[in-house]
Amino acid sequence: MISIVTSTFNSSKDIELFFEKIENQIKIINQQYEIIVVDDGSTDNTVEILKEYSAKNNQLKIIELSNNFGQIAAIFCGLEHSNGDQIFITDSDIEENEDNLVRFYNEYKRDTSYDMIYGVIVKRDGYSLKTKYLAKIFNNIIYIITNRKIDKDQSWTRIISKRLSKELLKFKEVESYPAGLFNLVGFKQKKLNINKKYKGYSSYSLLKKLKLGLNILTNFSSFPLIFICLFGLLVSAVSFLFILIIFFAKLFIGFSSGWASLIIFIGFIGGINILSIGVVGIYISRIFNQVKNRPQYIIKEKINFE
């Protein structure tokens, strides 16, 4: 049996088309299946639409979360409740190609020694050049800073084995980077190139994207801490050199630097101190959030689960 896991958040515009696409692909692979949809605290009528579909199809299982806990928590919730020997993870929007389930399933069955086949986006149809370049820059920075062999521009779309899913669920990070966690689990993995279409809008705000970037940096890299340490040494060396220049200039040519340069220098050092404290503070906040040991999600209702 194959489990299809996805999450929704205010997806009333797209969810019906998603079901249509998935059901067509299920007919092609001709396997026993279950579809697990985790609603991440939608405020529109997404849940009502899901309940209507679940009443017609017992294989459609709905989990309604009590609040908006984020896509990562929602997907992990779906994985915990899945029963399939293979689990296909996908987005519920209309940006995914219509044949992704068939492609990934066939690729998985072609060589069962792989525990995961994951999607890497090679083409983004409909995206502006600005968005494409910003995504490329972001992925390159993350790739360099995290210092891990993680393929850039990974999608949520992937098919994984049951045993990989069990090991993945042992990770209990509150704030994390999905592609990094999948990489840490290990096992034999393979990438599959996919295309992605742009539906014209995104539920990921700029703030959410910035938060994701911070999660990646602080959970999978100590680079910011190392950087501020090295930068502090550089500033100290430059400051010492600057002091020597002023001293010899005053001693031999009677040059006086004045208050302006002193104030600028003090302001610069102050800015560096504040930046350094801020970076350390981010790491401390991550530790603080983790040790509180709060649940990743809270379930409000489950439908079609035995």
Side-chain angles (χ1 to χ4, degrees):
M1 184 174 75
I2 184 169
S3 298
I4 299 162
V5 174
T6 190
S7 65
T8 56
F9 177 72
N10 293 343
S11 305
S12 58
K13 295 179 181 178
D14 308 321
I15 195 65
E16 294 185 46
L17 181 57
F18 167 75
F19 285 133
E20 181 183 328
K21 289 163 59 177
I22 284 294
E23 287 169 357
N24 289 336
Q25 293 180 79
I26 289 171
K27 291 176 183 176
I28 296 173
I29 65 173
N30 192 28
Q31 292 292 319
Q32 285 188 318
Y33 72 96
E34 64 176 1
I35 303 174
I36 300 176
V37 181
V38 183
D39 184 75
D40 190 26
S42 292
T43 55
D44 62 1
N45 64 330
T46 300
V47 175
E48 285 71 23
I49 296 173
L50 292 175
K51 288 180 177 179
E52 287 177 11
Y53 271 88
S54 64
K56 302 172 186 175
N57 184 356
N58 290 332
Q59 303 308 115
L60 173 57
K61 302 177 180 182
I62 310 300
I63 302 175
E64 183 183 359
L65 302 186
S66 63
N67 206 340
N68 180 233
F69 292 92
Q71 188 181 22
I72 298 173
I75 293 294
F76 270 54
C77 175
L79 292 177
E80 285 195 69
H81 289 82
S82 62
N83 298 307
D85 299 314
Q86 301 89 37
I87 304 165
F88 179 68
I89 306 171
T90 184
D91 286 326
S92 62
D93 55 30
I94 56 176
E95 295 184 343
E96 301 292 328
N97 279 1
E98 295 184 3
D99 63 342
N100 274 349
L101 172 56
V102 176
R103 286 186 65 209
F104 278 79
Y105 182 79
N106 289 340
E107 193 69 28
Y108 186 88
K109 286 297 182 181
R110 188 173 290 117
D111 186 350
T112 55
S113 66
Y114 287 97
D115 281 275
M116 179 170 73
I117 298 175
Y118 57 92
V120 174
I121 303 169
V122 294
K123 185 180 179 183
R124 295 176 181 268
D125 296 326
Y127 284 77
S128 66
L129 287 176
K130 177 184 175 183
T131 302
K132 290 179 181 178
Y133 282 121
L134 285 175
K136 185 174 288 188
I137 291 170
F138 175 79
N139 285 313
N140 284 330
I141 291 173
I142 296 303
Y143 184 80
I144 294 169
I145 289 177
T146 56
N147 196 30
R148 301 193 64 85
K149 294 180 179 179
I150 302 174
D151 280 297
K152 294 175 259 185
D153 221 349
Q154 282 193 39
S155 166
W156 264 114
T157 306
R158 63 194 64 220
I159 189 168
I160 63 176
S161 65
K162 187 65 177 178
R163 70 169 180 171
L164 188 146
S165 176
K166 287 181 178 178
E167 297 304 318
L168 178 69
L169 291 171
K170 292 179 181 178
F171 290 93
K172 300 299 180 183
E173 281 100 326
V174 175
E175 299 165 314
S176 194
Y177 175 41
L181 290 182
F182 281 113
N183 179 266
L184 282 174
V185 173
F187 294 109
K188 194 174 180 182
Q189 304 182 9
K190 180 181 179 180
K191 72 175 181 179
L192 187 63
N193 293 337
I194 63 172
N195 299 330
K196 197 162 187 177
K197 296 172 287 187
Y198 183 51
K199 61 187 176 184
Y201 61 91
S202 174
S203 58
Y204 257 79
S205 63
L206 178 61
L207 184 61
K208 286 184 178 180
K209 291 176 182 177
L210 290 174
K211 185 179 178 181
L212 174 62
L214 281 176
N215 286 343
I216 297 169
L217 289 177
T218 54
N219 279 282
F220 283 87
S221 174
S222 57
F223 176 82
L225 293 174
I226 297 171
F227 175 79
I228 60 174
C229 179
L230 295 176
F231 193 68
L233 288 174
L234 177 62
V235 170
S236 298
V238 171
S239 300
F240 182 71
L241 180 62
F242 187 64
I243 290 170
L244 289 178
I245 291 172
I246 292 176
F247 175 76
F248 284 105
K250 180 70 174 177
L251 185 64
F252 294 107
I253 62 176
F255 172 77
S256 179
S257 62
W259 286 102
S261 58
L262 179 62
I263 296 299
I264 292 171
F265 185 71
I266 291 174
F268 176 71
I269 296 299
I272 296 301
N273 286 334
I274 293 172
L275 174 64
S276 303
I277 293 170
V279 171
V280 174
I282 290 172
Y283 277 90
I284 293 173
S285 73
R286 295 288 182 266
I287 298 170
F288 175 66
N289 288 334
Q290 190 67 43
V291 299
K292 284 187 289 188
N293 200 28
R294 290 176 177 172
Q296 282 187 297
Y297 57 84
I298 297 172
I299 296 175
K300 180 180 179 181
E301 185 180 6
K302 294 196 291 186
I303 299 172
N304 283 346
F305 284 88
E306 296 179 359

